[in-house]
Amino acid sequence: MIEDKELKKQEIKNRIIDTSDLEEDTPRSRRRQNADIFTQGRRVVILLLVLVGIIILGLAFQNRFKTHTKFKLKWMHELSEGSLVDYISLGNGFLKYSKDGAVYLKKNGKNVWVDSYEMSNPKTNTNGRYAIVFDVGSKQIVSYTKEGKAASIDTELPIIKAIVSKSGVVTALVEESKSTDIVFFDNEGKKLDITVKSKLSGDGFPTDIAISPDGTALLAAFQYLKGSSMMGRVVFYDFSEIGKNMPNRVVGGFDEEFVSSMVARVKYLDKINSVAIASDGLYFFSSKNIASPKLVKTIKAENDIEAVAFEGDRLCVVYKNTSEKFNHTLYIYSKTGSVLLKKEFAGDFNKLDMQKGYIYMTKNDNAIIMNTSGVIKYSGSLDVNIHKIVKSGFLSGFTVLGDNDFRGIVLK
């Protein structure tokens, strides 16, 4: 009997299901396991991304201070036949312009669209998403975006210079026999009811104009005779409600600062800050108070100013250097006139450009490529007549725009 009882107990015990193993295989448990695996995988991915980021930053830092003596041609795209004056950057490509038309090209040199016109002396200006081509001495202006022609403008008088704002407003400086006018057109080419008149006998001859990013303010430089001396003048105009009640829209004028000096360039660095580049130095202005612009800093030129270039709110100036070792001194200034970089260097150039952390000084087939840390990355021939150089690719890759082709190079 006892043995039977023990057998029945054992049989009952065997029938009891051990749920400990089953608990580990429930849907909730499986989800927990999957979550743990996912968390571990995510940590591995994050760690790998951090390591890749560190490697990339290390390579970029190392490359920033590395110099090169050679280059390797990686690719070349021949351009379709056609005349050429020069290239300007527009959108994520380039506008190739000539006397008989403009072509928009991708970064690799392939055509996107073509537009025809007839001009004798085409010049350009670009700002943000807009670029214009205008005919100096004639009456034609064409405005473009990367999508194509934005507006076609005919002025009533011959053009001296034309500029475009980031909003697409076009400003043209035109001349009569005894006076000059500054006229405005909206981004569709319609003439606006705004005109600034200047008499040559009193106000002088305008040497340059600049428009604010939003197109509501204008900065103009003049030269005029006082006795037998040539004097400079800088004038601020406002076309918003603030300047509406001002005579001829003038909200500020500066004469005494430019006695016996020539003001060659003016430029808005942003909506508030602007600069005038004169023969004797740089003059930084603030229009924080729109009704009363202020001269906030003057930097007298060490030597003759050879070239200037702009990128965003920064200004690059190359001065002549008379030392035995160097023949140029390059400065980069902030929008308020602070020195961001000073670099002495030797070489020969006739064109200066600054884009995306690099400064390009070129002449014929020779180039000096410098980064904004003052490191000369390359100096020498690139085996092609250079119109423009832009950064491309990773680390030391560049695209060179030539007469008949685009070339991708890597500095070695």
Side-chain angles (χ1 to χ4, degrees), residues 45-59:
V45 171
I46 292 172
L47 180 60
L48 289 174
L49 290 174
V50 170
L51 290 174
V52 170
I54 291 172
I55 292 170
I56 291 173
L57 287 174
L59 289 172

Side-chain angles (χ1 to χ4, degrees), residues 4-276:
D4 290 341
K5 289 181 178 180
E6 289 297 326
L7 288 173
K8 287 181 179 180
K9 287 181 181 180
Q10 187 64 40
E11 186 178 349
I12 292 170
K13 186 183 291 186
N14 290 337
R15 291 177 181 176
I16 296 174
I17 299 174
D18 187 354
T19 61
S20 61
D21 293 333
L22 293 176
E23 286 178 356
E24 293 182 2
D25 197 35
T26 61
R28 182 181 298 177
S29 179
R30 287 198 296 271
R31 285 198 298 269
R32 190 184 303 119
Q33 289 176 345
N34 291 338
D36 291 340
I37 293 171
F38 177 76
T39 300
Q40 292 174 0
R42 186 170 58 182
R43 287 173 181 169
V44 171
V45 171
I46 292 172
L47 180 60
L48 289 174
L49 290 174
V50 170
L51 290 174
V52 170
I54 291 172
I55 292 170
I56 291 173
L57 287 174
L59 289 172
F61 182 81
Q62 181 185 32
N63 179 71
R64 189 160 186 81
F65 296 96
K66 185 178 180 180
T67 60
H68 306 266
T69 57
K70 299 178 181 179
F71 71 91
K72 182 178 181 180
L73 180 65
K74 300 292 289 185
W75 57 267
M76 182 170 66
H77 178 79
E78 292 187 0
L79 304 178
S80 57
E81 292 185 8
S83 59
L84 169 69
V85 172
D86 210 344
Y87 303 90
I88 55 172
S89 296
L90 178 62
N92 53 2
F94 307 99
L95 190 71
K96 172 189 174 185
Y97 68 97
S98 65
K99 293 183 178 182
D100 52 15
V103 182
Y104 186 63
L105 304 164
K106 293 181 179 180
K107 288 182 178 179
N108 60 8
K110 293 183 179 179
N111 288 11
V112 179
W113 51 257
V114 179
D115 184 54
S116 299
Y117 54 69
E118 292 293 334
M119 295 187 185
S120 299
N121 187 14
K123 300 293 182 183
T124 60
N125 184 257
T126 182
N127 199 338
R129 63 185 295 263
Y130 288 92
I132 58 172
V133 183
F134 59 95
D135 197 5
V136 176
S138 188
K139 304 176 183 180
Q140 186 180 10
I141 304 171
V142 187
S143 175
Y144 297 104
T145 67
K146 67 178 183 179
E147 285 79 25
K149 184 189 293 185
S152 184
I153 298 168
D154 291 316
T155 61
E156 297 175 0
L157 297 167
I159 301 165
I160 300 172
K161 183 173 183 177
I163 55 176
V164 63
S165 74
K166 284 187 176 180
S167 61
V169 173
V170 175
T171 305
L173 176 61
V174 297
E175 64 175 337
E176 296 186 78
S177 58
K178 295 182 179 180
S179 66
T180 59
D181 292 348
I182 300 173
V183 292
F184 297 79
F185 303 86
D186 67 15
N187 58 12
E188 294 181 348
K190 181 182 177 182
K191 187 176 180 181
L192 301 175
D193 190 22
I194 303 171
T195 302
V196 177
K197 284 188 170 291
S198 302
K199 293 182 179 180
L200 299 179
S201 58
D203 301 302
F205 183 81
T207 56
D208 198 23
I209 54 175
I211 194 168
S212 63
D214 61 2
T216 63
L218 181 77
L219 175 56
F222 295 87
Q223 292 301 126
Y224 67 98
L225 279 172
K226 188 174 182 180
S228 59
S229 299
M230 184 65 73
M231 314 288 280
R233 173 181 289 146
V234 168
V235 181
F236 287 84
Y237 302 87
D238 182 76
F239 303 102
S240 67
E241 288 298 315
I242 293 174
K244 193 173 183 179
N245 298 319
M246 301 290 186
N248 210 22
R249 297 275 185 168
V250 175
V251 293
F254 299 84
D255 287 31
E256 294 180 2
E257 293 79 4
F258 303 102
V259 173
S260 300
S261 99
M262 178 177 178
V263 186
R265 292 288 305 274
V266 288
K267 178 77 172 178
Y268 274 95
L269 301 173
D270 60 21
K271 64 183 296 184
I272 293 174
N273 298 281
S274 56
V275 63

Side-chain angles (χ1 to χ4, degrees), residues 265-322:
R265 292 288 305 274
V266 288
K267 178 77 172 178
Y268 274 95
L269 301 173
D270 60 21
K271 64 183 296 184
I272 293 174
N273 298 281
S274 56
V275 63
I277 301 167
S279 55
D280 63 345
L282 312 175
Y283 297 79
F284 292 86
F285 296 91
S286 172
S287 296
K288 190 172 184 179
N289 181 353
I290 297 173
S292 182
K294 301 291 184 185
L295 176 63
V296 294
K297 190 167 188 176
T298 300
I299 300 174
K300 291 299 181 181
E302 299 176 352
N303 284 297
D304 293 341
I305 296 174
E306 296 183 299
V308 298
F310 302 93
E311 183 189 22
D313 61 1
R314 295 183 302 166
L315 165 65
C316 179
V317 181
V318 178
Y319 299 91
K320 185 177 181 180
N321 189 325
T322 57

